[in-house]
Amino acid sequence: MKTFEELGVSGEIRRAIEELGFVQPMPVQEAVIPYLIENEKDVIALAQTGTGKTAAFGIPLLQRIDTSSRCAQALVLSPTRELCLQITDDIRDFAKYMDGVHVEAVYGGASIEPQMRALKKGVQIIVATPGRLVDLKNRGVADLTNVCNIVLDEADEMLNMGFSENISEIFESIHENHSTLMFSATMSREVEKVAKKYLHDYQEIVVGSRNEGAENVNHIYYMVNAKDKYLALKRIVDYYPRIFAIIFCRTKIETQEIADKLIKDGYNAESLHGDLSQPQRDLTMQKFRQHLTQLLVATDVAARGLDVDDLTHVINFGLPDDIENYTHRSGRTGRAGKKGTSISIVHSREKFKIRNIEKEIGKEFVKAEIPSAEEICKKQLYKVMDQIVKTDVDDQEIAPFMKDISRYFEYIDKEELIKKIVSLEFGKFLAYYADAPEIETVVPDKKEKRPQSDKQKLQNKAQKGYRRLFINLGRRDGFYPGELMQTLNRFVGGRQEVGHIDLLDTISYFEVPEKDAKKVMLQLSGIRYKGRTVRCNDSDEGGKKNADSIDKSNGKPKRQKKDSWRELMNKVPHDLRGPEPDFSEEGWAMRKPRKKKK
């Protein structure tokens, strides 16, 4: 293991990072820092979050800048405001003993005026979110012509969030002879495309393996029915009394709902999603970083760049569609050499996702059984006893009260007193689990189900108590499960319970409880989605015609028969119709014959 001095880090920076507790370089730092100090070539570094990436690019950037000039020489792009601020703080800490270094964060969701004033004074390193930087550039405040080093941190997430156009505009504005450093947890196809477009003769540095999960993370999954997912979540949280975790949900609505339920049930939880105002998000994250909040329920985007020490667990309240998102989620824990656990609560039909993730990250999931009421109560009881035994007693502070306390308890024996103390601390768990609802055991099929083809999806039947509905939107419309849930919650009202969903290219099927079927069909039919009029009805009615139109050979929709001129005209109001064509012999004779193609 090399030292920071052997890596070529300057004395001023070494002094600062030693005060921060940096003893030995982490693997990504040992691989990247000397290369960037000695070379000005383009680099792609693949490493998980929490492995010291900020120091890996921040230290070489500081050593490359000319402190005598106040023009922007280095640029760091990040996907979120939180990560932007975190990188800025870290680089400032590294430069504590360097004179004349100015680092500024520019990001959306905050007043632009202070950022404009700071850039006008002059900064050498700009840390920015792409959208705000383009805005400042167009206002003539951010001058990027002298930028010789550009870093894309969490490049895969920036591309997933739709920043590709902004990134292209930024690259067109910087110095022609620049070096690009791209840091990412995963090497997606989008990242490879950007690398081919903007990087030249680049060096790929991989710490670990491509697209692998964090080395110190255990991967566990619990398989339950959809209706039991929240009950399972409560049992898992109760089973780990000292849990400090992020619970990931798919949508903003689901995130808020789960957080509200946990708070109502007495858990120390808060939500974090895009619908919160920036001050609310800042306060929530500050409390979580300070361990004042035990459970943070968040969406993927909101939790991006949220570095928290000692995170014990990441809980997936359902698996994401994108394997890369799972990699980012699990990378929140098991950081800086510590152990962590990634728990997934999955529906019985999501088993194939587990297998796909295992192949991608090169690690196996452990299937666990939902803890029983007895196991949970034992864990909680041991926690209470441990707290009592380890409580520090200050004799001087309590001495004035001991006489009254002793007199108050003189007729209660020791064993009875212990029972009362434990019951006081432990009573809510005993009361809940004495009559807790049972969670049904899911027995998977002997043969594991593989993802169905579109033709197979057409033959699916609704589960008991549900009705299968058809909707004329599919994957080509960008209509995925998250979009379906948001559409239902918006137009049907409240949170609509949904069973199994079958997505096809141009149409989809989904299940709702029998009692809600008519209401859902009524509320969705006729709405507009991305310029299209939505049609929703029973799969046995509306879906039958579409099923018949699927080509048996390849499962693709056949071309529908076009309406005749007369049928089209009947759909147009009378006052908007033009003159009808003359189909008489005279009128027909007046038509110009078509020229034959040679």
Side-chain angles (χ1 to χ4, degrees):
M1 179 70 74
K2 292 184 178 180
T3 64
F4 282 103
E5 185 177 2
E6 291 173 322
L7 297 183
V9 179
S10 67
E12 296 93 339
I13 296 177
R14 288 205 310 274
R15 182 182 170 191
I17 63 178
E18 282 170 9
E19 289 183 4
L20 295 171
F22 285 54
V23 180
Q24 288 182 317
M26 298 179 76
V28 67
Q29 295 162 0
E30 189 173 351
V32 173
I33 289 175
Y35 185 85
L36 294 182
I37 290 175
E38 295 171 7
N39 302 278
E40 293 201 1
K41 291 184 177 181
D42 294 349
V43 171
I44 292 181
L46 300 179
Q48 297 303 309
T49 51
T51 54
K53 287 191 292 179
T54 306
F57 65 75
I59 291 172
L61 282 187
L62 288 170
Q63 295 197 188
R64 286 184 181 184
I65 64 170
D66 177 9
T67 55
S68 64
S69 171
R70 291 290 290 265
C71 64
Q73 303 163 41
L75 177 62
V76 182
L77 297 179
S78 72
T80 65
R81 175 185 191 269
E82 292 73 32
L83 184 56
C84 176
L85 288 168
Q86 182 184 306
I87 293 169
T88 305
D89 290 340
D90 287 345
I91 295 177
R92 284 174 179 164
D93 289 339
F94 303 153
K96 182 179 180 180
Y97 296 106
M98 293 178 68
D99 294 329
V101 174
H102 298 276
V103 185
E104 190 62 35
V106 296
Y107 46 85
S111 174
I112 199 170
E113 297 297 329
Q115 297 174 10
M116 291 174 69
R117 287 194 294 270
L119 293 183
K120 284 176 181 177
K121 288 180 182 178
V123 296
Q124 291 103 351
I125 301 176
I126 300 175
V127 186
T129 53
R132 176 53 62 91
L133 183 62
V134 169
D135 188 3
L136 289 165
K137 180 185 73 69
N138 293 337
R139 290 172 184 242
V141 179
D143 183 6
L144 308 180
T145 53
N146 293 307
V147 170
C148 295
N149 297 284
I150 180 169
V151 179
L152 303 182
D153 193 20
E154 304 284 15
D156 48 353
E157 186 61 18
M158 273 193 285
L159 298 170
N160 289 339
M161 292 171 68
F163 285 128
S164 55
E165 288 185 12
N166 289 333
I167 292 171
S168 298
E169 189 172 341
I170 291 166
F171 268 100
E172 290 170 3
S173 305
I174 63 178
H175 197 281
E176 194 172 303
N177 296 320
H178 66 270
S179 63
T180 304
L181 319 174
M182 188 180 290
F183 284 77
S184 179
T186 58
M187 190 63 170
S188 64
R189 291 177 183 174
E190 289 77 13
V191 172
E192 287 182 340
K193 286 179 184 177
V194 171
K196 290 177 182 177
K197 187 174 181 181
Y198 297 112
L199 277 68
H200 307 285
D201 189 27
Y202 64 85
Q203 174 74 22
E204 185 176 309
I205 299 173
V206 181
V207 178
S209 302
R210 277 177 161 225
N211 302 330
E212 72 166 4
E215 289 185 10
N216 298 320
V217 178
N218 299 316
H219 301 269
I220 298 172
Y221 75 95
Y222 295 89
M223 187 175 290
V224 297
N225 291 315
K227 64 183 178 65
D228 293 328
K229 287 178 73 173
Y230 178 70
L231 294 175
L233 173 64
K234 283 181 62 174
R235 290 204 177 202
I236 292 164
V237 170
D238 290 343
Y239 187 68
Y240 297 99
R242 291 179 177 82
I243 191 171
F244 178 52
I246 299 177
I247 301 168
F248 283 100
C249 296
R250 295 167 66 95
T251 65
K252 290 180 283 189
I253 294 172
E254 184 180 61
T255 298
Q256 190 62 55
E257 183 190 60
I258 297 302
D260 289 344
K261 282 185 176 180
L262 288 170
I263 294 167
K264 184 180 177 182
D265 289 339
Y267 294 90
N268 182 6
E270 297 228 18
S271 64
L272 183 69
H273 53 75
D275 282 350
L276 298 177
S277 67
Q278 199 58 57
Q280 286 177 311
R281 291 174 66 180
D282 290 343
L283 180 60
T284 298
M285 286 187 290
Q286 182 182 355
K287 288 167 67 177
F288 191 60
R289 285 194 177 101
Q290 294 173 352
H291 292 222
L292 300 175
T293 300
Q294 186 180 16
L295 302 171
L296 183 69
V297 190
T299 55
D300 288 294
V301 173
R304 197 65 164 175
L306 179 60
D307 283 339
V308 181
D309 295 332
D310 304 323
L311 199 69
T312 61
H313 294 75
V314 162
I315 300 177
N316 301 286
F317 195 76
L319 290 169
D321 291 323
D322 194 340
I323 294 175
E324 291 173 25
N325 280 343
Y326 178 84
T327 305
H328 287 300
R329 288 181 179 186
S330 60
R332 298 291 109 196
T333 186
R335 303 163 79 87
K338 296 178 182 177
K339 292 288 183 183
T341 302
S342 176
I343 292 174
S344 300
I345 305 172
V346 301
H347 188 275
S348 54
R349 296 185 184 181
E350 288 183 309
K351 186 75 179 290
F352 73 92
K353 286 187 179 181
I354 294 287
R355 299 293 168 248
N356 291 343
I357 293 171
E358 285 178 333
K359 290 176 185 176
E360 194 70 24
I361 68 175
K363 294 185 177 183
E364 288 189 8
F365 279 67
V366 175
K367 185 179 186 300
E369 298 297 327
I370 297 293
S372 66
E374 184 180 354
E375 290 172 327
I376 292 167
C377 288
K378 279 184 180 179
K379 281 275 192 120
Q380 291 291 339
L381 178 59
Y382 292 149
K383 175 198 170 188
V384 172
M385 292 190 299
D386 194 48
Q387 284 177 326
I388 293 171
V389 170
K390 291 182 178 179
T391 299
D392 293 326
V393 177
D394 189 327
D395 291 329
Q396 291 183 346
E397 281 189 356
I398 66 169
F401 309 102
M402 281 305 296
K403 189 176 181 180
D404 291 333
I405 292 171
S406 300
R407 188 184 302 157
Y408 195 82
F409 291 113
E410 65 180 322
Y411 297 111
I412 302 176
D413 63 27
K414 177 183 174 182
E415 187 175 339
E416 187 68 21
L417 184 59
I418 291 172
K419 287 179 181 178
K420 288 180 180 295
I421 293 171
V422 171
S423 296
L424 183 66
E425 293 292 324
F426 182 56
K428 71 171 186 176
F429 288 100
L430 288 174
Y432 174 75
Y433 284 107
D435 194 28
E438 289 296 322
I439 297 178
E440 295 178 21
T441 302
V442 178
V443 181
D445 296 338
K446 291 182 180 180
K447 292 184 179 179
E448 187 178 322
K449 293 183 179 179
R450 296 183 178 181
Q452 294 180 312
S453 67
D454 283 1
K455 287 190 290 183
Q456 291 172 322
K457 289 177 182 179
L458 290 168
Q459 310 304 320
N460 286 340
K461 301 294 182 184
Q463 57 185 317
K464 189 176 180 181
Y466 284 75
R467 176 122 31 117
R468 195 166 190 246
L469 303 184
F470 157 85
I471 192 167
N472 61 332
L473 298 170
R475 291 186 292 250
R476 292 181 187 173
D477 303 294
F479 197 69
Y480 290 97
E483 287 288 315
L484 172 62
M485 297 303 299
Q486 290 187 20
T487 303
L488 286 169
N489 293 333
R490 179 182 174 189
F491 291 100
V492 178
R495 185 179 185 276
Q496 176 59 50
E497 185 180 347
V498 176
H500 187 61
I501 300 171
D502 284 323
L503 291 172
L504 285 73
D505 279 345
T506 56
I507 58 175
S508 300
Y509 297 92
F510 62 98
E511 298 173 7
V512 297
E514 285 275 4
K515 60 183 177 61
D516 298 333
K518 288 184 179 179
K519 177 180 70 173
V520 171
M521 288 187 283
L522 182 66
Q523 296 296 331
L524 290 189
S525 293
I527 67 169
R528 302 285 291 177
Y529 181 86
K530 295 182 180 179
R532 291 191 60 186
T533 301
V534 174
R535 181 162 56 87
C536 177
N537 40 29
D538 194 294
S539 63
D540 292 335
E541 299 169 11
K544 215 168 197 180
K545 190 169 76 173
N546 290 278
D548 293 339
S549 69
I550 299 290
D551 191 324
K552 293 180 181 179
S553 61
N554 55 17
K556 293 182 179 179
K558 289 182 177 179
R559 293 183 65 181
Q560 298 293 324
K561 181 183 176 182
K562 292 184 178 179
D563 291 336
S564 67
W565 178 88
R566 175 65 63 189
E567 288 170 329
L568 289 171
M569 287 302 295
N570 286 337
K571 297 177 182 179
V572 179
H574 285 277
D575 56 339
L576 297 179
R577 296 183 190 178
E580 293 191 9
D582 187 356
F583 288 113
S584 64
E585 290 186 11
E586 289 182 3
W588 194 259
M590 291 175 67
R591 290 184 64 194
K592 293 182 180 180
R594 292 181 181 178
K595 293 182 180 180
K596 293 182 179 180
K597 292 182 180 180
K598 292 181 180 180

